[in-house]
Amino acid sequence: MLDLERLRALHSVATYGSVSAAADVLHVTTSAVSQQLAKLERETGQKLLERNGRGVRLTDAAELLVAHAERILSLVEQAQADLEAHRGSVVGQLTVAAFPTAIRGLMPAALRSLGADHPDLRVQAIEEDPMRSMPLVSRGDYDMAVVQDWNNDPLPLPEGLHKGVICDDVADVAVPASHPLAGRDTVDLKELAGDPWISSSPDSICCHWLLRTLRAVDSEPRIDHMAYEFATQLALAAAGLGNVILPRLGRCDVPPGVVILPLAAPLSRRVYAVWREEAARRPAIRAAVTALRAAVPADIPAVAPVPR
């Protein structure tokens, strides 16, 4: 009979491309993964890995076995979820990735609530951009991710994932106090055409969204500075170096020299939790979404039912 942990080791090598990468994901040594694969080769009577330069590649036999391993591991996860659902207890371990403002604005209260209400559940929170976290949920690295999409730029949901809405979050514009429009009650995005902007790193969902949003109002973006943290972006804005799109969820302190202007045509983002279909029946998933929705600040409405 094939050993499940050996199949998991082979599947991880196939997914992540090397023995060392698989070891990192499985939280074991490279030697331990190599030993599991050697035992699996003896168990199957087939050669599974071949040298390929400095790395390895899977043999045809290994590729065949990986296809079965993927289905087997998915069934095991589903069985574990069904057993937890049958037991009705919120137990085990849950790894939750969340983008920066969600991990600051939602996770502390949600984690405190989960710890108090479900002491047998261990939750690990990891800060991660949605563009990276959703594929990692799909692959099984994380159990859940808190992600976002904007009202003018929906985020595609990969096949095999479910989602539950946590809240809608409105964004304002932060401008330097010296800006000609700083005294306005509201501002139209078109009125800021040609202004310098400050955004996050080029590979982030926020930077991609800002570029598309400004181009949609016939303004070719001029992004002068990039910083991942909103606190840093606001410090740059306070120095008169550009404007910032600033969501309300997890908003940090606004420094002197910055004025917050609501947009006349509001921009909002929807915050979701996503998880794999196989895990949908886990009480821990339901408990985590409940805690996240309860953690939404009073001025940001939660809008969705708890997933069933």
Side-chain angles (χ1 to χ4, degrees), residues 59-291:
T59 64
D60 290 343
E63 295 284 3
L64 177 65
L65 195 54
V66 165
H68 287 292
E70 190 163 339
R71 292 193 294 272
I72 291 166
L73 293 171
S74 175
L75 286 171
V76 168
E77 182 176 11
Q78 186 175 344
Q80 290 172 334
D82 287 346
L83 282 171
E84 286 186 26
H86 179 73
R87 181 181 176 185
S89 300
V90 180
V91 297
Q93 181 165 329
L94 200 68
T95 306
V96 182
F99 60 94
T101 50
I103 209 164
R104 182 169 61 243
L106 294 175
M107 292 305 297
L111 291 171
R112 184 173 58 246
S113 172
L114 287 168
D117 295 341
H118 308 290
D120 293 327
L121 176 67
R122 180 174 177 266
V123 184
Q124 181 183 35
I126 300 170
E127 185 174 307
E128 191 69 84
D129 186 88
M131 287 184 173
R132 290 184 288 270
S133 65
M134 286 213 297
L136 292 171
V137 172
S138 295
R139 291 196 320 204
D141 292 9
Y142 301 148
D143 297 302
M144 176 187 285
V146 181
V147 302
Q148 58 175 326
D149 62 16
W150 292 87
N151 56 355
N152 61 345
D153 187 22
L155 185 69
L157 186 70
E159 184 178 354
L161 295 187
H162 284 181
K163 68 179 180 181
V165 182
I166 304 300
C167 66
D168 281 339
D169 184 24
V170 177
D172 303 309
V173 180
V175 300
S178 58
H179 195 285
L181 302 178
R184 296 272 294 276
D185 292 330
T186 62
V187 66
D188 193 294
L189 205 54
K190 287 185 177 181
E191 297 178 273
L192 303 172
D195 279 8
W197 289 86
I198 301 160
S199 184
S200 52
S201 56
D203 61 343
S204 70
I205 190 172
C206 292
C207 186
H208 290 186
W209 170 83
L210 180 60
L211 292 171
R212 285 191 291 266
T213 300
L214 292 175
R215 286 172 181 152
V217 295
D218 300 320
S219 173
E220 184 57 30
R222 176 188 158 190
I223 299 179
D224 282 4
H225 306 285
M226 293 185 175
Y228 204 64
E229 293 292 335
F230 279 120
T232 307
Q233 294 179 23
L234 290 174
L236 293 169
L241 300 174
N243 307 329
V244 176
I245 293 288
L246 189 64
R248 296 177 185 175
L249 178 65
R251 181 172 294 182
C252 56
D253 293 336
V254 178
V258 174
V259 174
I260 305 298
L261 295 176
L263 287 162
L267 291 170
S268 65
R269 61 180 180 175
R270 180 152 283 189
V271 179
Y272 300 93
V274 299
W275 58 90
R276 291 182 300 283
E277 289 179 354
E278 294 88 349
R281 294 192 65 200
R282 288 188 66 188
I285 296 289
R286 181 183 176 88
V289 176
T290 299

Side-chain angles (χ1 to χ4, degrees), residues 12-37:
S12 295
V13 171
T15 301
Y16 301 103
S18 71
V19 172
S20 60
D24 288 342
V25 170
L26 296 172
H27 306 294
V28 297
T29 64
T30 55
S31 175
V33 173
S34 296
Q35 289 175 25
Q36 292 280 42
L37 295 175

